[in-house]
Amino acid sequence: WPTYTGASSFGPETLIAGLIPSAGWIGDPELRQALTERAALIEQRADALVSRAITAREPWIARLGPPPTDPGRRLLWEQAASTVAAYRDRHRVTDPTNPIGEAHGGGQWTRRADRRRAIAAFAAARRASEIGTGDSRRPAQPQRIADQSLDRRL
């Protein structure tokens, strides 16, 4: 799950579920262990939300494209989908079709940063899905129309 978004004075930043900066620099071993356990729970929840969305055929997960059959591409797709699911969960996105939901002007800097990461994850899932299905040239017509609608709403 390590996702690097930039260097800090402590080295590359690792993101929990693709969104939340980890506190790997914490010196207290007990606190570090508690935070590591919390991070694992957050990631498990994001993965479970993706599984549930796939099983329930929720429209928002379909917008990410089908999970690729190639194991490497599938892992990329799953990680990206988990980031989108974590964003939806963290920021209470309820839009059933738009994976990222509507932008709410202003807001906390964390929500804006998370939204940028979720949008990047959405794009990564789409890329992994298109390559994984063997046709990276052009998505099917209905999906293209849906993507144009999403682009206007993002």
Side-chain angles (χ1 to χ4, degrees):
W1 257 114
T3 302
Y4 302 103
T5 59
S8 69
S9 59
F10 300 105
E13 182 177 39
T14 302
L15 298 174
I16 301 162
L19 294 179
I20 306 162
S22 72
W25 49 269
I26 298 292
D28 182 299
E30 288 180 21
L31 182 55
R32 187 172 48 245
Q33 179 62 33
L35 291 172
T36 299
E37 291 169 4
R38 176 70 55 94
L41 290 172
I42 291 168
E43 290 180 354
Q44 288 170 11
R45 178 167 173 78
D47 292 343
L49 290 170
V50 169
S51 294
R52 185 174 73 195
I54 290 170
T55 300
R57 298 177 190 252
E58 294 180 19
W60 73 265
I61 196 83
R63 298 294 301 280
L64 276 60
T69 55
D70 174 74
R73 298 263 179 234
R74 175 133 187 151
L75 179 60
L76 292 172
W77 185 92
E78 288 172 349
Q79 289 175 338
S82 290
T83 297
V84 173
Y87 173 81
R88 289 176 61 86
D89 190 44
R90 186 175 192 196
H91 296 288
R92 295 179 175 89
V93 175
T94 58
D95 187 317
T97 58
N98 184 337
I100 311 301
E102 293 295 325
H104 302 289
Q108 297 178 302
W109 70 268
T110 53
R111 182 180 177 99
R112 291 190 307 268
D114 286 354
R115 184 173 178 80
R116 284 191 299 273
R117 290 176 180 136
I119 289 169
F122 170 77
R126 295 283 306 155
R127 281 192 308 274
S129 181
E130 289 173 0
I131 293 169
T133 59
D135 186 7
S136 61
R137 292 170 289 135
R138 190 172 100 182
Q141 181 68 22
Q143 188 62 49
R144 214 171 1 162
I145 293 167
D147 288 343
Q148 290 169 356
S149 173
L150 179 63
D151 290 342
R152 284 192 296 273
R153 291 169 43 183
L154 291 177

